């Protein structure tokens, strides 16, 4: 009996340790009980990992890699409540608050990693380091981040980015022969500028391998956007055109059907969803879709249990206000 009690105690201690495994280098941060660790990854990459207060490694853990948009710092991307002393840039994306809100929608074990390149530009970082070297390095960075959490069996990875952050995603895709099965979701948040059919080949192969594999694209009609008296995109550039190149490639083999979701045109199949804002008033919606329309939350929830048109968060009202850091 004594031996049995001792064995049960030891098993209980091991189980407790597994449930809330020590996260080396993480420190308490903010007012929501999160834990944060900042890694300087050479050359010129900073990764800021934000985890909930507890993690049960016997259950699913979502590692969300978020590549930053051009010109934005990690703190600005995370966001905080706007005051007279806070720059407007802190109030336009709110990825930290949206991630906290996602934890209330089934992502209770979401760990988000903010990936910032020096000079605040992933396209510039890849170009400066030459693509043949930068792309494999991005693959290594992702592997390093998985190992930072101990790469537990139940770790599921999502790869997303806004604006120039899409360059990080393309680098990951181009840097290897085939996409790994542990990658569950790819999300382009008005970030798919550089799409080419060669990317489609790898993405299609990855989608076909597992039904859980999902790709979501959010974009808007940016063809005639004017800023400071000049067109923002070239005559053959922009995410609207890139999204239609993707539609040309994926529509038939993945049986995409067209309908609408709120103000968006939607093209969807079992594993793919493209939501495209027609932008009839020709406004700059590049960041507004992400912060004001909850596009990041929507993209992470697509094809998840319990999420439907009725519960859709792709609406022109913030769905995460209670989770904004003061």
């Amino acid at each position: 009996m004594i031996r049995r009690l001792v064995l049960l105690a030891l098993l209980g201690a091991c189980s407790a340790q597994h449930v809330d495994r020590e996260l080396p280098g993480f420190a308490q941060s903010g007012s929501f009980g999160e834990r944060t660790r900042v890694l300087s990854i050479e050359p010129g990459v900073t990764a800021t990992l934000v985890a909930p207060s507890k993690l049960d490694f016997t259950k699913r853990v979502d590692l969300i890699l978020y590549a930053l948009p051009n010109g934005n710092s990690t703190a600005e991307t995370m966001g905080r409540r706007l005051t007279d002393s806070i720059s407007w840039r802190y109030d336009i994306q709110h990825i930290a608050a949206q991630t906290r809100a996602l934890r209330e929608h089934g992502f209770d074990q979401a760990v988000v990693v903010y990936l910032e390149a020096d000079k605040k530009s992933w396209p510039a970082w890849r170009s400066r380091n030459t693509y043949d070297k930068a792309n494999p390095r991005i693959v290594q960075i992702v592997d390093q981040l998985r190992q930072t959490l101990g790469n537990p069996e139940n770790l599921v990875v999502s790869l997303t980015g806004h604006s120039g952050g899409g360059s990080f995603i393309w680098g990951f895709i181009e840097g290897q022969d085939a996409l790994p099965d542990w990658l569950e979701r790819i999300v382009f948040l008005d970030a798919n500028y550089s799409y080419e059919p060669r990317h489609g080949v790898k993405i299609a192969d990855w989608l076909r391998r597992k039904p859980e594999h999902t790709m979501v694209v959010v974009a808007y009609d940016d063809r005639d956007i004017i800023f400071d008296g000049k067109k923002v995109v070239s005559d053959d550039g922009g995410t609207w055109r890139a999204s239609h190149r993707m539609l040309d490639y994926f529509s038939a083999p993945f049986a995409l059907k067209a309908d609408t979701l709120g103000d968006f045109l939607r093209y969807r199949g079992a594993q793919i969803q493209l939501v495209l804002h027609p932008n009839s008033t020709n406004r700059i919606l590049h960041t507004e879709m992400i912060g004001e329309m909850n596009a990041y939350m929507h993209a992470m929830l697509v094809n998840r249990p319990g999420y439907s048109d009725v519960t859709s968060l792709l609406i022109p009202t913030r769905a995460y206000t209670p989770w904004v850091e003061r």
Side-chain angles (χ1 to χ4, degrees), residues 7-8 36 41 49 60 81 90 93 114 136 139 147-148 159 180 190 218 221 223 240 244 258 264 297-298:
L7 179 60
L8 288 173
T36 299
I41 304 176
L49 294 82
R60 173 186 172 114
R81 192 157 299 177
Y90 287 83
Q93 299 175 75
Y114 301 90
V139 174
Q147 293 300 329
T148 299
L159 186 57
D190 209 33
V218 179
D221 191 345
R223 291 173 296 178
W240 180 265
H244 281 82
F264 288 78
M297 292 178 65
H298 170 77

Side-chain angles (χ1 to χ4, degrees), residues 157-168:
V157 178
S158 295
L159 186 57
T160 181
H162 172 39
S163 184
S167 185
F168 183 93

Side-chain angles (χ1 to χ4, degrees), residues 135 139 169-180 183 186 195-209 213 215 249-250 254:
N135 295 340
V139 174
I169 301 175
W170 295 131
F172 183 79
I173 293 172
E174 294 173 21
Q176 52 199 317
D177 293 334
L179 294 174
L183 178 66
I186 297 174
Y195 170 79
E196 298 175 7
R198 63 192 177 104
H199 301 129
V201 173
K202 290 184 180 180
I203 293 171
D205 170 71
W206 167 75
L207 288 168
R208 291 186 179 106
R209 271 187 271 130
H213 290 169
M215 180 179 71
Y249 187 90
F250 290 104
F254 288 91

Side-chain angles (χ1 to χ4, degrees), residues 142-143 146 155-158 172 180-184 210 213:
V142 173
D143 286 337
R146 291 167 61 228
L155 188 68
V156 177
V157 178
S158 295
F172 183 79
D181 283 342
W182 46 256
L183 178 66
E184 184 175 276
K210 293 184 71 174
H213 290 169

